[in-house]
Amino acid sequence: MYRLDANTYIQAKNLHYQMTFCPAYWDWLDEQFESGQLASIMSVYNELTEQNDELTQWVKKRRSHFLPVSSEQIQDQFGTIVEHVSELEGKKTEHVAEFLDKADPWLVATACVSGATVVTHEVPVPENSSKVKIPNVCAAFEVPYITTYQLLNTLNAQFVLGGAA
């Protein structure tokens, strides 16, 4: 099971898998959701629907791809993550607040409770960094994380033009 961070959708739309020239990627996401391999969470849905672009429209048609974070287990885990992040030494207050105000802690909490792997384009920061990043919080809670590219390789994704064999 994989849980997608908002940045995986945003970077796909803006860069390598733009909806106009790589619709197969977006179809693949639908297929993987249907097979139970991946999903995201409502907090990510909320972030992605703040804009008004083609990604927003795509996401709004797939609300069921975004799981609720309302279970007692997720809520409890979220509280533990908030406590952990708030107590990290050397982090700037604004970086802590930014991390906690977004979907990030909910994503890690959901993955922790469900045994899922987080998919993100964030990279870990050194311990002495003033920032808080998903990979560092994942590591603290023994939650695996990978990038979109690792996900595509792991799930053997192929986007092949018609007629190629």
Side-chain angles (χ1 to χ4, degrees):
M1 285 185 299
Y2 301 92
R3 299 294 174 255
L4 302 176
D5 184 14
N7 68 22
T8 64
Y9 293 97
I10 295 165
Q11 287 188 13
K13 177 199 64 106
N14 290 340
L15 300 171
H16 308 295
Y17 307 111
Q18 293 177 28
M19 294 175 161
T20 53
F21 70 79
C22 194
Y25 174 79
W26 303 92
D27 292 342
W28 180 82
L29 287 178
D30 285 337
E31 289 172 11
Q32 297 308 305
F33 171 79
E34 292 302 324
S35 71
Q37 287 290 335
L38 61 83
S40 193
I41 60 171
M42 284 307 298
S43 307
V44 168
Y45 175 91
N46 294 336
E47 283 184 16
L48 295 176
T49 56
E50 287 176 357
Q51 303 299 315
N52 188 15
D53 60 11
E54 61 189 340
L55 177 58
T56 301
Q57 300 314 309
W58 186 88
V59 166
K60 284 182 175 180
K61 292 177 184 172
R62 290 158 178 84
R63 188 177 176 101
S64 64
H65 291 202
F66 299 85
L67 307 173
V69 294
S70 55
S71 80
E72 189 173 325
Q73 285 182 302
I74 293 171
Q75 296 285 320
D76 289 347
Q77 188 62 48
F78 172 78
T80 302
I81 289 169
V82 168
E83 186 176 321
H84 168 79
V85 170
S86 298
E87 293 174 354
L88 288 171
E89 295 198 16
K91 305 301 177 198
K92 287 190 175 180
T93 305
E94 60 266 26
H95 294 302
V96 170
E98 180 185 353
F99 181 85
L100 295 177
D101 287 343
K102 298 191 312 185
D104 298 354
W106 292 105
L107 188 65
V108 177
T110 302
C112 193
V113 167
S114 66
T117 297
V118 171
V119 182
T120 184
H121 286 293
E122 287 188 13
V123 295
V125 293
E127 199 171 304
N128 64 352
S129 172
S130 66
K131 296 183 177 181
V132 180
K133 294 293 182 180
I134 289 173
N136 298 83
V137 178
C138 281
F141 289 91
E142 299 181 0
V143 173
Y145 63 91
I146 60 175
T147 66
T148 296
Y149 308 111
Q150 292 168 311
L151 175 70
L152 292 168
N153 283 322
T154 300
L155 297 181
N156 300 311
Q158 292 186 343
F159 309 129
V160 181
L161 292 174

